[in-house]
């Protein structure tokens, strides 16, 4: 879930830090009819129904929306009321744009940072970008240009490429742009960008870069804010990676994984201690990789890199499987279908077992270690084990 060839350029000639925000105006003229109302929580809560029906005055609307940025229970209630209002308009298509609510409440979150009720499926991305931001705040300006050696697994070989801390951040911003595009947000590569793979996007971003990318979390903040207020349908939006696609909820999990992997690359380059993700978040990342493995095995089989199928079964039927046992925080048990990505992995059809530590499995998926280096406990069909471990490493890219 990280690939391209050639040597990276020095991406940054001078450090760049965004300017400070303008201070808020704490001395509004209360005699001005356009000045914001000061209302109690009880009154503001009672106005939510009228606000959902667009029946509030302009001043009341501003007061309610200001309140929603700081009060998560009221924000949740506001979303539920907006859902109910849409059902009252029978002359409209009930299949509304899932991003409508984010546009309605954009004003609220744009005024000041707020405690956003982040969906559980977006929490790993929020956590990993926050940890990376903390790392970048701690390192010195000279370390912003420290050399970082990126690694991934390509054509059954480990590949390495030189970059810098700034270059790695540029890579993350460029690939995050795929998610931004799916949400209708600004792309860091600019408007009217043709469809490119993650590697092609990174190369284009590096070539066009004339200064280090923003060290802040503006892009990730915008992504989190948008999905948090977009409604239930947004998690199933499609994010296209060039030759494959993921639903948004899996795409943000993949972005969280890559953010952690590259933050660890940066930390190693500047001798900074960096821990793995929390157990629940790590479990989600491992689960995503396990779900991608049957398709990865099939892809390698079509390229002549994996053994042919032995017992094809109907789609959704249980078939020959490998039991993947991941130990430690975030671990669990997965059954990987071997002969077809449409088959169902099954404990009753297990022909091999692999046991690995969770962090080591993620290092394999990231292409930081080869299948031969993985210290896996192995039992059963050796060919199936080799196919699955190689497929796990093939998920990596630049």
């Amino acid at each position: 879930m990280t690939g391209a060839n050639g040597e990276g350029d020095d991406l940054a000639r001078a450090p760049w830090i965004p300017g400070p925000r303008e201070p808020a105006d704490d001395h509004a003229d209360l005699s001005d009819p356009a000045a914001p109302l000061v209302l109690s929580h009880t009154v503001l809560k009672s106005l939510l129904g009228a606000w959902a029906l667009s029946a509030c005055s302009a001043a009341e609307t501003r007061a309610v929306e200001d309140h929603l940025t700081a009060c998560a229970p009221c924000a949740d209630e506001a979303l539920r009321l907006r859902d109910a209002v849409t059902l009252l308009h029978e002359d409209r298509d009930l299949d509304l744009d899932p991003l409508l609510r984010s546009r309605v409440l954009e004003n609220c979150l744009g005024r000041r940072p707020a405690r956003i009720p982040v969906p559980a499926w977006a929490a790993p991305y929020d956590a990993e970008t926050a940890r990376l931001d903390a790392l970048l705040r701690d390192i010195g300006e000279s370390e912003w240009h420290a050399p970082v050696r990126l690694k991934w697994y390509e054509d059954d070989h480990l590949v390495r490429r030189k970059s810098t801390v700034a270059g790695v951040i540029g890579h993350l911003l460029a690939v995050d742009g795929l998610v931004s595009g799916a949400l209708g947000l600004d792309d860091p590569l600019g408007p009217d960008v043709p469809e490119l793979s993650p590697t092609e996007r990174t190369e284009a971003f590096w070539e066009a870069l004339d200064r280090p990318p923003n060290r802040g979390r503006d892009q990730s903040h915008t992504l989190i804010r948008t999905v948090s207020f977009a409604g239930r349908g947004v998690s199933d939006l499609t994010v296209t990676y060039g030759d494959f696609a993921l639903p948004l909820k899996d795409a943000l999990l993949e972005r969280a994984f890559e953010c952690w992997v590259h933050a660890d690359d940066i930390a190693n380059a500047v001798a900074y201690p960096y821990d793995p993700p929390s157990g629940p978040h790590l479990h989600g990342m491992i689960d995503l990789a396990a779900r991608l493995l049957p398709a990865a095995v099939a892809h390698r089989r079509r390229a002549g890199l994996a053994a042919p199928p032995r017992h094809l079964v109907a789609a959704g039927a249980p078939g020959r499987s490998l039991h993947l046992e991941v130990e430690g925080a975030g671990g669990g048990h997965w059954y990987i279908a071997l002969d077809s990505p449409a088959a169902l992995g099954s404990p009753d059809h297990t022909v091999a077992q692999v046991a690995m530590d969770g962090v080591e499995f993620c290092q394999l998926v990231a292409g930081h270690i080869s299948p031969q280096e993985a210290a896996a406990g192995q039992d059963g069909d050796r060919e199936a084990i080799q196919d699955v471990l190689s497929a796990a490493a093939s998920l990596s890219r630049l």
Side-chain angles (χ1 to χ4, degrees):
M1 298 191 257
T2 46
N5 298 319
E7 294 298 320
D9 299 327
D10 185 3
L11 304 175
R13 289 185 287 277
W16 179 81
I17 300 175
R21 293 187 178 186
E22 293 295 325
D25 182 5
D26 294 328
H27 303 286
D29 183 1
L30 297 181
S31 65
D32 182 356
L37 296 176
V38 178
L39 302 173
S40 69
H41 175 273
T42 301
V43 173
L44 289 165
K45 184 175 180 180
S46 71
L47 287 173
L48 291 180
W51 174 85
L53 292 167
S54 300
C56 288
S57 68
E60 289 171 337
T61 297
R62 285 197 302 273
V64 169
E65 292 180 352
D66 283 342
H67 179 64
L68 295 181
T69 67
C71 181
C74 284
D76 287 341
E77 180 66 15
L79 291 178
R80 286 193 291 271
L81 290 171
R82 281 285 182 175
D83 278 338
V85 168
T86 60
L87 297 177
L88 298 176
H89 298 279
E90 296 181 357
D91 57 325
R92 298 183 183 178
D93 181 1
L94 296 182
D95 234 359
L96 295 176
D97 180 353
L99 301 179
L100 178 61
R101 295 176 189 83
S102 68
R103 290 196 292 270
V104 171
L105 296 178
E106 183 177 3
N107 235 5
C108 304
L109 293 177
R111 295 178 183 178
R112 64 176 181 269
R115 294 176 300 170
I116 308 173
V118 178
W121 51 267
Y125 176 77
D126 190 35
E128 292 310 311
T129 54
R131 293 207 304 142
L132 173 59
D133 190 50
L135 164 61
L136 297 178
R137 284 199 305 268
D138 281 354
I139 67 177
E141 291 299 330
S142 61
E143 292 174 316
W144 190 243
H145 307 282
V148 179
R149 189 171 293 274
L150 302 175
K151 297 189 295 184
W152 65 94
Y153 196 70
E154 186 175 288
D155 297 329
D156 287 349
H157 296 286
L158 281 173
V159 179
R160 292 176 172 83
R161 177 159 183 183
K162 295 177 183 176
S163 186
T164 64
V165 172
V168 173
I169 300 306
H171 164 60
L172 291 173
L173 291 173
V175 184
D176 275 357
L178 292 169
V179 181
S180 297
L183 290 168
L185 302 173
D186 291 339
D187 191 321
L189 270 65
D192 304 321
V193 180
E195 187 172 297
L196 301 173
S197 69
T199 297
E200 292 168 333
R201 289 180 62 85
T202 298
E203 297 290 356
F205 189 78
W206 282 350
E207 289 175 7
L209 198 65
D210 60 357
R211 62 183 180 182
N214 192 337
R215 299 172 71 163
R217 298 178 63 209
D218 290 349
Q219 181 171 275
S220 57
H221 271 149
T222 301
L223 289 176
I224 290 296
R225 179 185 69 185
T226 301
V227 302
S228 295
F229 283 89
R232 291 180 291 273
V234 73
S235 63
D236 294 323
L237 289 177
T238 299
V239 179
T240 302
Y241 284 75
D243 56 352
F244 70 99
L246 293 172
L248 179 63
K249 59 186 176 183
D250 284 345
L252 278 189
L253 196 53
E254 185 274 338
R255 300 311 304 138
F257 176 86
E258 188 168 8
C259 185
W260 162 44
V261 168
H262 286 318
D264 191 61
D265 290 336
I266 292 171
N268 287 333
V270 299
Y272 187 98
Y274 207 79
D275 294 328
S278 67
H281 293 174
L282 189 62
H283 179 86
M285 297 173 190
I286 294 170
D287 179 70
L288 174 61
R291 287 187 280 119
L292 295 175
L293 280 175
V297 172
H299 178 77
R300 287 177 55 81
R301 182 175 290 129
R302 289 192 294 270
L305 299 174
R310 296 187 188 176
H311 303 290
L312 291 176
V313 297
R320 208 167 57 100
S321 306
L322 177 139
H323 176 198
L324 174 63
E325 180 182 356
V326 179
E327 302 167 342
H333 298 266
W334 289 266
Y335 292 88
I336 313 302
L338 295 170
D339 294 323
S340 168
L344 181 67
S346 167
D348 296 332
H349 294 75
T350 298
V351 298
Q353 180 176 3
V354 169
M356 296 185 69
D357 173 73
V359 172
E360 185 178 34
F361 176 75
C362 289
Q363 291 295 310
L364 175 65
V365 172
H368 281 35
I369 59 175
S370 69
Q372 295 74 28
E373 294 172 315
Q378 305 176 6
D379 184 47
D381 189 323
R382 310 301 297 178
E383 190 175 61
I385 292 171
Q386 181 60 34
D387 284 347
V388 170
L389 292 179
S390 297
S394 74
L395 293 174
S396 64
R397 54 171 170 76
L398 173 61

